[in-house]
Amino acid sequence: MIAIGLFLWLFPWENDYNTTVDVYVRRNMEVMNQHLEKINETMELFEKYRHAVAVMQYDLETICPREGMADQGETIAFLSNECFKLIKDEEFEAHVKAAYEEMDETWNEFDRALVKDMYRSIIKSSKITPEMNLEFARIMQKAFASWSRAKEASDFKMFEEDLKAVAEKDRKTSALQSEVPELKQDTPYDYRLDDYEQGITTADLDRIFGACKERMIPLLKEICESKKEIRTDFLSRKVTEEQQKALAYKVLSYMDYDLNRGAMTTSEHPFTMELNRDDVRITTHYYNDAFASSLYSVIHEGGHGLFELNAPRENWEHHISNKTMGQHESVSRFYENIIGRSRAFSDVVYDMVKECMPHVVEDVTKEEFFEALNTVTPSLIRTEADEFTYTFHVIIRYEIEKEIMNNNLDISEVPELWKKKYKEYLGVEPSTDKEGCLQDMHWTNGFGYFPAYALGNMYNAMYYNRMKEEIDIEKEIRSGSLKNINAWMKEHVWKKADRQTPKEWILEITGRELTPDDFLDYIEKKFRGIYNL
Amino acid sequence: MIAIGLFLWLFPWENDYNTTVDVYVRRNMEVMNQHLEKINETMELFEKYRHAVAVMQYDLETICPREGMADQGETIAFLSNECFKLIKDEEFEAHVKAAYEEMDETWNEFDRALVKDMYRSIIKSSKITPEMNLEFARIMQKAFASWSRAKEASDFKMFEEDLKAVAEKDRKTSALQSEVPELKQDTPYDYRLDDYEQGITTADLDRIFGACKERMIPLLKEICESKKEIRTDFLSRKVTEEQQKALAYKVLSYMDYDLNRGAMTTSEHPFTMELNRDDVRITTHYYNDAFASSLYSVIHEGGHGLFELNAPRENWEHHISNKTMGQHESVSRFYENIIGRSRAFSDVVYDMVKECMPHVVEDVTKEEFFEALNTVTPSLIRTEADEFTYTFHVIIRYEIEKEIMNNNLDISEVPELWKKKYKEYLGVEPSTDKEGCLQDMHWTNGFGYFPAYALGNMYNAMYYNRMKEEIDIEKEIRSGSLKNINAWMKEHVWKKADRQTPKEWILEITGRELTPDDFLDYIEKKFRGIYNL
């Protein structure tokens, strides 16, 4: 999980901080628009508070002792509110609106991107009063608290009322935004989707996920009925934390993750956090009977981290940091799955495992190792799902969210609908709410986040095909470092992500419109191969 | 090292944060003085910023990656300045002065302590303009940078000019404070001492350290000439980080350190940091051939931590946190030395070592273990000194600081004077500046801090004698937990430390005036015993 997402409502923009020196240099080079100058001043201040909040949030999730959490939460809320006040300031809004009116082709593209983002955020929240904002925050906090208790007790009823309140909050937000002509969308859910993945609509997702279901449901049936036997016993061999840590650092070094500009620590749920321009940290967890869990967390979070660490320096200088969740997940899942679970990478990892924890693979072939990392097993928990079945977990959440937002599905019906869809798509059925609709915390914030996880797979399969035209990927993977792959990513995938909508971005990278075909072809080829179908 | 000290110039008061609820409760219970109400409002805000700074500073010293440090330093400086602005605000100062005038016996003692502290800080800085303050900060930053380089190159010349600037800053501050009649002291150095240890003067220290030299120099000679042979080979046996960590947690649990209100992590130099009322963290370091180094760091820092964690809750509610460095060191060194290197404790630790790293003591008796922990060896580095010789390291620094501040000793003469004094008191002489006067970073901030380390020993030997009258200390140590010893400390030592000057405090605890006799008797008895003299 990337922690940035959880901040979204507090930080509509993930912006950055400019040293005074940088600013002076720029000021001497161009006569800056007076509104832009004011915007930059505010953003520099904003960035200081954002930095403090990020460090405190990171600390809260990694080290802060239990009894200190409440106070730390209060200080984070206070500093977040200082951020919020800066950009909800009327004078600031006036400068943004004026800059938006005045900007033209003579402005550099970074300044334009900043002003466009700011303007978009302002009009998005234009109908939301500070009182509503506070009320919404309370609804989310209350929902989070009752979700935690409900999950522990595995009782959806304990969460039902608060989830209803979250749905009402989201529908109300959509209704308020629909009053602004520039924001017009087709359905209430589309307003929410646009928060996380600008320009992506229910129409897009219906088409994409429809295609996925059409091709993947029958294929999953074939896989489940296949005679292929995959050995996985060695994945649960006992390993120490030291061994796993050694493996993790080896993989990060191979990924060319610069630990002078980042760190790896532990937390219950792995996440990536961009604390500052030269400080992007990832976390992992260590289980003594599941080395691959930590290993693939590190690769996934390492992907998120590389994306942030390799953003153009100009973005920082112009306070632009605006990657969507789908763009982010495309990168993390590119490293985790497309690269990370490829045959070439699995061979590389096999050798590393042999060095760090030799007993794990002492009687295992490279072929067996590769297959074990790619076993398809329909299961109940999204975060533990394999590459193939993962998409279904997302589709199910998407379909339920859409029902709630657009057709007012009665919240009490969520657990039954959840079970029905799991049975239908994956052939498994949760026997408890904890394994079912209570497993993820995302809905305590609202709806619209989940589709980004699956969209990431659509994007990355498309740019993977593009990359293949220019690079011998297998050779690069076997070369001992992902440097050249990262360099391609930096030039094509990472460079403009902050300044383009996902649709513009994928079109520029690949020359083609967003499509699920690349992903579905990739999946079909890979798993037909493994399962001899 | 306790990190609080390094913040002193930024945070004249280590204050705390009050939940809104607490405040309302108090407001309903008493009609609060309007000035006090304003002071509390500011302090609540102050505390939020202080908390953020503490978390960021902790992070900087434990996890922050190298390339992220400069930005993190800037954000810390920004937030520190927000703190500083709050209490340098003219309106705030007016409220403090008015409250100081109006307060009387009807006010509760906590409110009075707060107002007294605030008032003291305000008059102390009354002649220092914001420009001077900024200039002083620059001098310290510059000195720190050149000290780091000079230490690395082991060349005092590289630090000389900047140390001269620090001395001038300190003398200027003293001169400005001498213009305020309420602050009147006898010598320039006394103003600085008063910053760290309110009420302690050069006259006190000359008397105390004079007595130490008189009794300890001849005793050290006897020890060095004694025939006693102490075995220490096993102290450098190889141990893993895991083993040391297990031992550290065992010791913390035995010390009754509540890890739900704190944490233990690693850093280059061990320190304790009070991040918030329920969040006091310690750090340690692990060397694979010196388990006792980490072990005694943990006990020392654990002592600092217990002191903070067991402060009266009312202190927090009234924004009082005003322990002196000497009080703090008295507690940490009480746990580290008086308790920690006693025969009873050494037996307890022996058993823990046997469990966590059995090979270390497999051929070692408890007697040998105890003696090894108490070997006296004159050496060059303060932080590695034994319990006996430690005091000399402090006395030497004190005597040099006093010369600089009061008699304008030429800074270029510091290395020679340093060597001369080491030779005279300890019989050893540094061959390089790195092992000599460049070893500590403290002088990059200014003078007056060091005496607190030795004063701590005077205080703790006095309250140790008092404790013995009420508690069977050896029995408590052997009982498996320091709970009862902590309870006595809480009632007698920790309760009023924030509201009394060290002299008032030690008088109330022991019924006697500050004296070095208890420390010297304790030292003499202990080491004559060990060395059969």
Side-chain angles (χ1 to χ4, degrees):
Chain A
M1 178 173 70
I2 179 153
I4 295 166
L6 303 176
F7 282 146
L8 259 195
W9 72 273
L10 279 174
F11 305 110
W13 318 282
E14 271 274 319
N15 283 289
D16 192 39
Y17 149 66
N18 228 325
T19 64
T20 319
V21 177
D22 288 339
V23 177
Y24 287 140
V25 169
R26 281 203 292 137
R27 279 181 191 165
N28 290 335
M29 285 168 62
E30 49 182 291
V31 178
M32 203 188 270
N33 178 286
Q34 51 154 328
H35 301 299
L36 190 54
E37 199 159 354
K38 290 284 180 193
I39 293 168
N40 274 293
E41 272 170 28
T42 298
M43 293 316 296
E44 276 150 38
L45 213 51
F46 178 94
E47 177 50 31
K48 294 280 198 302
Y49 286 109
R50 192 207 63 82
H51 187 194
V53 168
V55 174
M56 292 193 89
Q57 185 70 33
Y58 169 83
D59 182 273
L60 189 71
E61 294 181 38
T62 53
I63 308 175
C64 186
R66 202 173 61 196
E67 299 288 321
M69 287 180 172
D71 282 350
Q72 190 137 328
E74 290 232 13
T75 301
I76 290 171
F78 165 76
L79 294 168
S80 301
N81 198 43
E82 293 300 300
C83 282
F84 193 72
K85 271 156 54 181
L86 282 173
I87 42 191
K88 284 301 284 183
D89 174 72
E90 275 180 29
E91 207 179 312
F92 177 75
E93 290 194 351
H95 285 299
V96 171
K97 283 178 185 162
Y100 187 76
E101 295 300 324
E102 287 179 22
M103 77 178 173
D104 59 32
E105 296 302 305
T106 65
W107 290 36
N108 76 56
E109 55 193 326
F110 297 98
D111 285 335
R112 274 185 285 156
L114 170 66
V115 172
K116 247 171 80 182
D117 278 351
M118 293 284 160
Y119 180 74
R120 181 169 173 258
S121 293
I122 285 174
I123 60 165
K124 277 206 154 191
S125 62
S126 61
K127 302 282 174 184
I128 297 163
T129 64
E131 294 70 37
M132 277 183 224
N133 197 61
L134 198 64
E135 173 63 16
F136 291 173
R138 288 211 185 96
I139 288 170
M140 291 186 277
Q141 274 173 5
K142 195 155 170 273
F144 181 79
S146 73
W147 167 78
S148 305
R149 286 191 299 271
K151 185 175 176 182
E152 205 175 315
S154 198
D155 181 0
F156 180 76
K157 284 263 163 272
M158 292 166 67
F159 181 46
E160 195 178 312
E161 280 309 305
D162 288 319
L163 184 57
K164 206 173 278 179
V166 170
E168 276 158 22
K169 159 187 88 73
D170 271 11
R171 278 196 294 262
K172 183 169 179 183
T173 306
S174 295
L176 288 165
Q177 289 177 338
S178 73
E179 293 171 14
V180 183
E182 284 168 275
L183 297 174
K184 199 64 192 157
Q185 298 280 355
D186 288 343
T187 75
Y189 188 40
D190 283 309
Y191 291 93
R192 306 279 53 76
L193 285 176
D194 195 64
D195 278 353
Y196 295 105
E197 206 65 13
Q198 196 187 347
I200 298 290
T201 64
T202 44
D204 294 317
L205 293 174
D206 285 345
R207 173 175 59 85
I208 289 166
F209 292 155
C212 290
K213 288 198 288 185
E214 199 177 312
R215 281 178 66 180
M216 290 175 81
I217 292 176
L219 181 54
L220 180 60
K221 199 157 173 275
E222 281 190 71
I223 289 171
C224 292
E225 287 167 359
S226 91
K227 294 280 174 292
K228 174 84 184 186
E229 278 188 22
I230 294 180
R231 182 186 162 194
T232 57
D233 60 299
F234 54 90
L235 293 181
S236 51
R237 286 182 181 165
K238 287 276 186 296
V239 287
T240 67
E241 190 173 317
E242 288 311 293
Q243 289 172 319
Q244 294 184 76
K245 215 184 264 182
L247 180 61
Y249 281 115
K250 217 177 257 293
V251 164
L252 282 181
S253 157
Y254 167 79
M255 288 175 77
D256 203 31
Y257 197 107
D258 182 358
L259 286 170
N260 288 320
R261 298 177 64 213
M264 180 180 68
T265 60
T266 57
S267 62
E268 200 184 329
H269 302 288
F271 66 86
T272 303
M273 201 181 277
E274 176 199 29
L275 288 89
N276 214 330
R277 55 181 172 178
D278 288 313
D279 186 0
V280 180
R281 306 184 194 173
I282 66 167
T283 69
T284 185
H285 51 208
Y286 299 112
Y287 302 130
N288 72 356
D289 59 355
F291 77 92
S293 170
S294 164
L295 174 63
Y296 279 87
S297 286
V298 169
I299 302 170
H300 179 98
E301 305 303 337
H304 281 304
L306 286 173
F307 195 2
E308 292 295 343
L309 284 170
N310 288 290
R313 210 68 180 176
E314 292 95 330
N315 285 5
W316 295 101
E317 285 157 12
H318 294 75
H319 309 295
I320 304 162
S321 180
N322 200 34
K323 301 164 188 67
T324 68
M325 291 304 111
Q327 289 173 321
H328 240 300
E329 286 296 319
S330 85
V331 173
S332 58
R333 302 179 72 77
F334 177 75
Y335 283 88
E336 179 192 354
N337 292 327
I338 297 190
I339 298 293
R341 295 186 202 270
S342 68
R343 176 61 200 255
F345 194 97
S346 123
D347 287 356
V348 170
V349 167
Y350 178 97
D351 291 336
M352 291 179 182
V353 169
K354 199 164 189 170
E355 253 184 86
C356 300
M357 39 185 86
H359 67 292
V360 168
V361 289
E362 62 183 357
D363 57 349
V364 178
T365 66
K366 286 191 171 176
E367 179 70 19
E368 286 173 325
F369 192 73
F370 167 67
E371 288 178 352
L373 295 177
N374 286 288
T375 327
V376 177
T377 318
S379 65
L380 296 168
I381 306 295
R382 179 183 59 85
T383 55
E384 292 166 17
D386 56 73
E387 183 180 5
F388 187 103
T389 58
Y390 188 86
T391 305
F392 290 109
H393 294 267
V394 175
I395 293 175
I396 291 167
R397 285 154 181 76
Y398 164 72
E399 291 178 346
I400 296 175
E401 291 191 346
K402 194 177 64 167
E403 282 299 305
I404 293 171
M405 286 295 292
N406 292 350
N407 304 316
N408 292 316
L409 170 76
D410 195 293
I411 295 291
S412 66
E413 292 170 30
V414 167
E416 275 316 305
L417 187 56
W418 186 283
K419 278 187 200 172
K420 191 172 148 271
K421 287 185 181 284
Y422 264 81
K423 185 80 192 162
E424 188 182 341
Y425 302 157
L426 285 166
V428 292
E429 204 174 331
S431 56
T432 66
D433 290 336
K434 191 174 175 173
E435 293 175 320
C437 62
L438 288 178
Q439 66 183 267
D440 295 307
M441 63 158 283
H442 302 53
W443 284 348
T444 66
N445 263 335
F447 304 108
Y449 187 109
F450 281 118
Y453 288 122
L455 276 170
N457 294 338
M458 310 304 139
Y459 303 144
N460 66 23
M462 288 180 72
Y463 56 69
Y464 171 59
N465 282 333
R466 182 76 188 76
M467 185 190 277
K468 276 198 286 193
E469 294 168 14
E470 296 186 12
I471 290 188
D472 182 342
I473 296 176
E474 183 176 340
K475 195 179 134 207
E476 289 302 337
I477 292 173
R478 295 192 189 276
S479 76
S481 162
L482 298 187
K483 271 199 179 79
N484 293 336
I485 288 178
N486 294 351
W488 192 93
M489 291 290 279
K490 186 170 178 174
E491 181 57 29
H492 296 85
V493 176
W494 298 336
K495 195 160 142 184
K496 298 193 183 170
D498 299 85
R499 292 180 284 126
Q500 293 177 322
T501 66
K503 284 180 175 174
E504 291 165 356
W505 170 75
I506 203 67
L507 179 63
E508 182 163 331
I509 300 168
T510 65
R512 295 156 54 223
E513 302 283 348
L514 176 59
T515 167
D517 296 344
D518 299 48
F519 171 67
L520 292 168
D521 291 345
Y522 156 80
I523 284 287
E524 181 135 14
K525 183 166 175 234
K526 176 171 180 175
F527 290 96
R528 283 204 183 278
I530 291 169
Y531 282 89
N532 310 323
L533 299 169
Chain B
M1 180 171 69
I2 177 153
I4 294 167
L6 302 176
F7 283 145
L8 258 197
W9 72 275
L10 279 174
F11 305 110
W13 318 283
E14 271 275 319
N15 283 291
D16 190 40
Y17 149 65
N18 228 324
T19 65
T20 320
V21 176
D22 289 338
V23 177
Y24 288 139
V25 170
R26 283 203 293 137
R27 280 183 189 161
N28 290 336
M29 284 169 63
E30 48 182 292
V31 179
M32 203 188 268
N33 177 287
Q34 52 153 329
H35 301 298
L36 190 54
E37 200 159 352
K38 289 286 180 192
I39 294 168
N40 274 294
E41 272 171 26
T42 298
M43 293 316 296
E44 275 149 38
L45 213 51
F46 178 94
E47 176 50 31
K48 295 281 200 300
Y49 287 107
R50 192 207 62 81
H51 186 194
V53 168
V55 174
M56 293 193 89
Q57 185 69 32
Y58 169 83
D59 183 272
L60 189 71
E61 295 182 38
T62 53
I63 308 175
C64 186
R66 204 173 59 197
E67 299 288 321
M69 286 179 174
D71 282 350
Q72 189 138 328
E74 289 231 14
T75 301
I76 290 172
F78 165 77
L79 294 168
S80 301
N81 198 43
E82 292 299 300
C83 282
F84 194 73
K85 272 156 52 182
L86 282 173
I87 43 189
K88 285 300 285 183
D89 175 71
E90 275 180 30
E91 206 180 313
F92 177 74
E93 291 193 352
H95 284 300
V96 171
K97 283 178 185 162
Y100 187 75
E101 295 300 324
E102 286 179 22
M103 76 178 174
D104 58 33
E105 296 302 307
T106 65
W107 290 36
N108 75 55
E109 54 193 326
F110 297 98
D111 285 336
R112 274 185 285 157
L114 170 66
V115 172
K116 249 170 81 181
D117 279 351
M118 293 284 160
Y119 181 73
R120 182 169 172 259
S121 294
I122 285 175
I123 60 165
K124 277 205 154 191
S125 62
S126 60
K127 301 282 174 183
I128 298 163
T129 63
E131 293 71 36
M132 277 185 225
N133 197 62
L134 198 63
E135 173 62 16
F136 290 173
R138 287 210 185 97
I139 287 171
M140 291 186 277
Q141 275 173 4
K142 195 155 170 275
F144 181 80
S146 73
W147 167 78
S148 306
R149 286 192 298 270
K151 184 175 178 183
E152 205 174 316
S154 197
D155 181 1
F156 180 76
K157 283 264 164 272
M158 292 166 68
F159 180 45
E160 195 178 311
E161 281 309 305
D162 288 319
L163 183 57
K164 206 173 277 177
V166 170
E168 275 158 22
K169 159 188 86 74
D170 270 11
R171 278 196 294 263
K172 183 169 179 183
T173 306
S174 295
L176 288 165
Q177 289 177 339
S178 74
E179 293 171 15
V180 183
E182 285 168 275
L183 297 174
K184 199 64 192 158
Q185 298 280 353
D186 288 341
T187 74
Y189 188 39
D190 284 310
Y191 291 92
R192 305 278 55 76
L193 286 176
D194 195 64
D195 278 353
Y196 296 105
E197 206 65 14
Q198 195 186 348
I200 297 290
T201 65
T202 44
D204 294 317
L205 294 174
D206 285 345
R207 174 175 59 86
I208 290 166
F209 292 155
C212 290
K213 288 199 287 185
E214 199 178 309
R215 280 177 67 180
M216 290 175 82
I217 292 177
L219 181 54
L220 180 60
K221 200 158 172 276
E222 280 189 71
I223 290 172
C224 291
E225 288 167 358
S226 91
K227 293 281 173 291
K228 174 84 185 187
E229 278 187 23
I230 294 179
R231 183 186 161 195
T232 57
D233 61 298
F234 54 90
L235 292 180
S236 51
R237 285 182 181 164
K238 287 275 186 296
V239 287
T240 67
E241 191 174 315
E242 289 311 294
Q243 289 173 319
Q244 295 185 73
K245 214 184 266 182
L247 179 61
Y249 281 115
K250 216 177 256 292
V251 164
L252 282 181
S253 159
Y254 167 78
M255 288 176 77
D256 203 30
Y257 197 106
D258 182 359
L259 286 169
N260 288 320
R261 299 177 62 212
M264 181 180 68
T265 60
T266 58
S267 62
E268 199 183 330
H269 302 288
F271 66 85
T272 303
M273 201 182 276
E274 176 198 28
L275 289 88
N276 214 329
R277 55 181 173 180
D278 288 314
D279 185 359
V280 180
R281 307 184 194 173
I282 67 168
T283 69
T284 185
H285 52 208
Y286 299 111
Y287 302 131
N288 71 356
D289 60 353
F291 76 92
S293 171
S294 164
L295 174 63
Y296 279 89
S297 287
V298 168
I299 301 171
H300 178 98
E301 305 303 337
H304 281 304
L306 286 174
F307 195 2
E308 292 296 342
L309 285 171
N310 288 290
R313 210 69 181 174
E314 292 94 330
N315 285 6
W316 295 100
E317 284 158 14
H318 294 76
H319 309 296
I320 304 163
S321 180
N322 199 34
K323 301 163 188 67
T324 68
M325 291 304 113
Q327 289 172 323
H328 241 301
E329 286 296 319
S330 85
V331 174
S332 58
R333 302 179 73 76
F334 177 75
Y335 283 89
E336 179 191 355
N337 291 327
I338 297 190
I339 298 293
R341 295 185 203 272
S342 68
R343 176 62 202 255
F345 193 97
S346 123
D347 287 356
V348 170
V349 167
Y350 179 97
D351 291 336
M352 291 179 183
V353 169
K354 200 163 188 170
E355 253 184 85
C356 301
M357 38 185 85
H359 67 292
V360 169
V361 290
E362 61 184 357
D363 57 350
V364 179
T365 66
K366 286 192 170 175
E367 179 70 19
E368 286 173 326
F369 192 74
F370 167 66
E371 289 178 352
L373 294 177
N374 285 289
T375 326
V376 177
T377 318
S379 64
L380 297 167
I381 306 295
R382 179 184 59 85
T383 55
E384 292 166 17
D386 56 72
E387 183 180 5
F388 187 103
T389 57
Y390 188 86
T391 305
F392 290 109
H393 293 268
V394 175
I395 292 175
I396 291 167
R397 284 154 181 77
Y398 164 72
E399 291 179 345
I400 296 174
E401 290 191 346
K402 194 177 65 168
E403 281 299 305
I404 294 172
M405 286 296 292
N406 293 348
N407 304 317
N408 292 315
L409 170 76
D410 196 293
I411 295 290
S412 66
E413 292 170 32
V414 167
E416 276 314 304
L417 188 56
W418 185 284
K419 278 187 199 171
K420 191 172 148 270
K421 286 185 182 283
Y422 265 81
K423 185 79 190 162
E424 188 182 339
Y425 302 158
L426 286 166
V428 293
E429 205 174 330
S431 56
T432 65
D433 291 337
K434 192 175 175 171
E435 292 175 321
C437 62
L438 289 178
Q439 65 184 268
D440 295 308
M441 62 158 282
H442 303 53
W443 284 348
T444 66
N445 263 334
F447 304 108
Y449 187 109
F450 282 118
Y453 288 123
L455 277 170
N457 294 337
M458 310 303 139
Y459 304 144
N460 65 24
M462 287 180 73
Y463 58 68
Y464 171 57
N465 282 332
R466 181 76 188 78
M467 186 190 275
K468 277 198 285 193
E469 294 167 14
E470 295 186 12
I471 290 187
D472 182 342
I473 297 176
E474 184 176 338
K475 194 179 134 208
E476 289 302 335
I477 292 173
R478 294 192 190 276
S479 76
S481 162
L482 297 187
K483 271 199 179 82
N484 292 336
I485 288 178
N486 295 351
W488 192 93
M489 291 290 280
K490 185 169 178 174
E491 181 58 28
H492 296 85
V493 176
W494 298 338
K495 194 159 143 185
K496 298 195 183 169
D498 299 84
R499 292 180 285 126
Q500 293 177 321
T501 66
K503 283 180 175 173
E504 292 165 354
W505 170 75
I506 203 68
L507 179 63
E508 182 163 332
I509 300 169
T510 66
R512 295 155 56 222
E513 301 283 347
L514 176 60
T515 167
D517 296 344
D518 299 49
F519 171 67
L520 292 168
D521 292 345
Y522 157 80
I523 285 286
E524 182 136 13
K525 182 165 175 235
K526 177 170 180 175
F527 289 96
R528 282 202 184 278
I530 291 169
Y531 282 88
N532 310 324
L533 300 170

